[in-house]
Every structure is written in C-alpha cells, then in structure tokens.
Amino acid sequence: MDRLVIEGGRKLKGTVDISGAKNACLPILAATILSDCKCIIKNVPSVLKDITTMLKLLKVLGMRASIDGQVVVVEPAKERKFVAPYRLVSTMRASVCVLGPLIGRLRQAEISLPGGCIIGPRPIDLHLKGIRALGVDVNIKKGYVIARAKKLRGANIYLGGHFGSSVLATANTLMAAVLAEGRSVIENAACEPEIQDLANFLIKMGSKVKGHGTPRIEVEGVKRLHGAEHTIIPDRIEAGTYMIASAITDGDIILKGARTEHLTAVIDNLNEAGVSVTNVKGGIRVRRKKALTPVDTTTFPYPGFPTDMQAQMMSLMTVTKGISVITEKIYPERFIHISELNRMGAQIHLEGPSAIVRGVKQLSGAEIMASDLRASAALVLAGLAAGGRTNISRIYHLDRGYERIEWKMTKLGARILREKEI
Ligand code: EPZ
C-alpha cells in the first residue's frame, strides 16, 4: 500500500488542469450498455481506479472497452451478460449504476448488493423503487438484487428519500425509463450536473428526455438507442478541492477547465470566508483576498453545498480564526476525518450531525490515516497547510477519485511524495 509524505507550509501557485468528472463518467459508461453500437466517451479520467473498475465490469457484462488516453470506446463484443458480481461491486459501490441499463436493454439484471461503507449506511431502496415502478419484478436473494421484467412501461415516479433526492437512483431510473414503453415522469429527481451530463449523453443516443437539471425529469420511451460521442464535464469536486488548496496555503491557483456554474455554493462559502474566485482567461483564479473568516456550512443536494466537499471545507476552517459549524445533511456519519484532523492539532468536536470547529493558528504535521475518498483529500489539504511533515497512510481511496494528485500538487509547488508503506 502507498502513503503520501507532505512537507507542509508552501504556498501553491500556478495552473492545474481539472480532469473529467468521475461521478459523471461512471453512469455514462454504464449507459453504453443501452446501445448495440459503438460509443465514444472523451475526457475520461482514465487513470482513476473507479474508472478501471467500471471498464472491468463492462467487460464482464459482454462489452468491449478500449482506452486511448482520455478517450474510451465501448461496444458490445459478444453475448451480453447481466450479472454484476460481488468481487467488483464490493470494490466500487457505483457499480450499482449498471442496474438501470441492464434492465432497460436486457430486461434482466443480477447485481450484488453494495452494502454500507465508511461514510455510513447507503441503502438502495430508491433505486429499487424507481425500477419497480416501471414494471420490474425485484427480489433480493443470496446478497444479490434479482431484477426481471417482461416489459417496461412508463410511470410517474416519486424518488424522494429521507435525505432528499438520490443521484444514482435517479440515474438508474432514468436509464431504465428511456427504453420503457410510453411516458415516465421522475419527481424529486437529483439535479446534479452529473445527472445533466448523463441525460445529455442519453439524448445523443436517441433518448427523449426533458427537464434534466430540475427535480422533474420527463422521458418518452423509445424502442432502441444508437451509438454516440460525448465529452465528460469537468470534475467539480476535484476543482473545489484545488480551490481549497489555494485558500488553505494562501496560494494563487488557476483551475483550467473548471466551471463556476457547477460550484456556486462552494464559491459562495469561499467568498464569505474571504477567498476571491474569479473567471480569468483559461480558467478560474482562486486566492485569498484577506485573512480567512469563519463560515458555517450545511450540505444539501445540488445546487446546495456538496457533501463531497464537506471534509475539505472543514480542513480550511481548522486554520480559520474563530468558530464555524459544519452540518452534514446527506450522510450524517460522514465525519471520519475529524479524529485525524484533531491529531494534527485541529480543535473539532462533533455534536450530532454538526462539527464545531475552533480555528487554530497552524496545524502540525503528524502520522495520519486516510479513510474515504473525500476525507483523504481533506487530509492532504491539511498536510499542505501544516508545519512540518505529514505522513498519510492508506491513500488508496484517493486513487479512486483524484487523478495524479501528487503530480498535480507538485506542479503547483507542493512538496509531496508517494512512497511504499513499509
Ligand atoms: C453519489 O452517490 C456520489 N457517487 C457520491 O460521491 C456523493 O457523495 C453522493 O452522490 C451525494 O452527492 C457517485 O456519483 C458515484 P445518493 P449516491 O443516492 O448516488 C440516501 C464520492 O466521494 N439514499 O445521492 O450513491 C443516501 O443514504 C462519492 O465521489 C437512500 O436513502 O448517493 C444518502 O443519505 C461518495 N436510498 C442520500 O440518499 C437510496 O436508495 C443521497 O445519496 C439511495 C440513497
């Protein structure tokens, strides 16, 4: 296993290229199952572990996938299969997003149940509700979701859960509905840019979809879909992470390719904290305009503040003079980073779904352990700001979601090395 060694205290400056969005790319790659023709997907963050896992899964399902740099070509190779095995789903929860396409195209799917994960329980009841409404018979047997349908018929589907809309449940329901007979309406649909990107790809394949990007998506089912070429949107969470890298190190970074319209809530919070974010030629420039001031953050579904930026925002608040409150409304247990940040001298305590952060002058480097993907990114940010050396062990989650992070950070002036753990 690898670890990262960071010598903190350097201001990050320069330009960083933002990769294609992992969370847009995963359902879009799954959507290629819906077609019998070749699909070409560009701007794929192909170095990421989650993307390689998805390509492995597509191969298991009878698709041929080839990668050339950031371009992935997918087409059906041989006999189609409909079983997503435990060995792949257990390494990447997002494998569940082949459920909708398999049901849509093959009328059957067997998907290993993903189970919970380190950020808390992650049920799939809304995914099952969505496809059941379209006429699919769903059973759980031996740890697998067994889904069969003679035919799919359009339906009105309400997809709200205890924590609001669901991104991948919306994706699965939408991907099944595009090949259903008749009209479907998905209410309380997720509005995330990743869902908009998926819908745009489905439209290029010949689907009739309206209203994506709003909580009401309308679909008129079609008989078949053709191939399509599509470019993945930039990764707003990677961009947000580099924004905080600039703010936390008092640096000056230009994010190439990022889109401010996908990051409104993050930018709003950063502005309130005293960070300037401006559109400049070639990207978005981020730097402090004054001393940081505390800002309260509450996560919500899009366009609210993303849960995937909560941990990184917390790192910034640990070195911001004053008290801030960070409330997690999507995954109330997603606070695994707190104890590691506290090991670096942060002063954070948890009260229910809220973390109370008392800013300190400086963090100090320490031996810490990474956990989930975004918590790992938060620890890297803390390490960049800390005095001295930080060793972050178990960084494999970072490789699931951040392309060549140490290379990109080094280019910005960070001292960061990847080492094999002894
Ligand atoms: C997506 O997961 C992302 N993953 C997550 O990013 C992200 O944190 C999450 O959306 C929220 O934005 C991918 O896109 C691959 P949800 P998803 O269903 O779709 C509850 C990362 O770090 N819920 O929108 O699985 C759920 O427990 C990852 O890149 C149900 O109750 O998340 C949560 O409280 C981590 N029943 C809320 O809804 C369901 O059937 C939102 O989760 C489904 C979800």
Side-chain angles (χ1 to χ4, degrees), residues 22-23 122-126 166-168 308 330-331 374:
K22 163 182 87 81
N23 289 349
R122 297 184 70 184
I124 59 160
D125 54 311
L126 295 173
S166 160
V167 178
L168 291 182
D308 289 346
I330 311 287
Y331 297 111
R374 309 303 170 185

Side-chain angles (χ1 to χ4, degrees), residues 4 6 237-238 240-242 244-245 248-249 307-319 326 334-342 344 346 348 363 368-386 390 392 395 397-398 402 405 409 416:
L4 284 182
I6 305 175
I237 306 301
E238 188 196 30
T241 303
Y242 282 96
I244 294 190
I248 204 168
T249 64
T307 172
D308 289 346
M309 283 298 300
Q310 178 257 107
Q312 301 90 314
M313 193 67 195
M314 192 179 298
S315 289
L316 183 64
M317 289 299 108
T318 61
V319 289
I326 298 183
R334 195 177 199 175
F335 284 120
I336 200 98
H337 39 285
I338 291 183
S339 48
E340 300 305 295
L341 289 172
N342 283 346
M344 300 177 75
I348 311 168
L363 299 173
I368 49 176
M369 195 183 283
S371 49
D372 80 273
L373 169 56
R374 309 303 170 185
S376 307
L379 298 184
V380 172
L381 294 172
L384 293 171
T390 297
I392 312 179
I395 54 151
H397 280 290
L398 265 184
Y402 290 88
I405 188 166
M409 293 282 186
I416 176 167

Side-chain angles (χ1 to χ4, degrees), residues 269 295-301 305-307 309-311 313-314 317 324-335 337-338 349-357:
N269 271 36
V295 46
D296 294 342
T297 300
T298 303
T299 65
F300 283 113
F305 191 96
T307 172
M309 283 298 300
Q310 178 257 107
M313 193 67 195
M314 192 179 298
M317 289 299 108
S324 55
V325 180
I326 298 183
T327 305
E328 177 55 65
K329 294 265 192 180
I330 311 287
Y331 297 111
E333 295 173 27
R334 195 177 199 175
F335 284 120
H337 39 285
I338 291 183
H349 73 271
L350 200 52
E351 283 192 8
S354 296
I356 319 295
V357 187

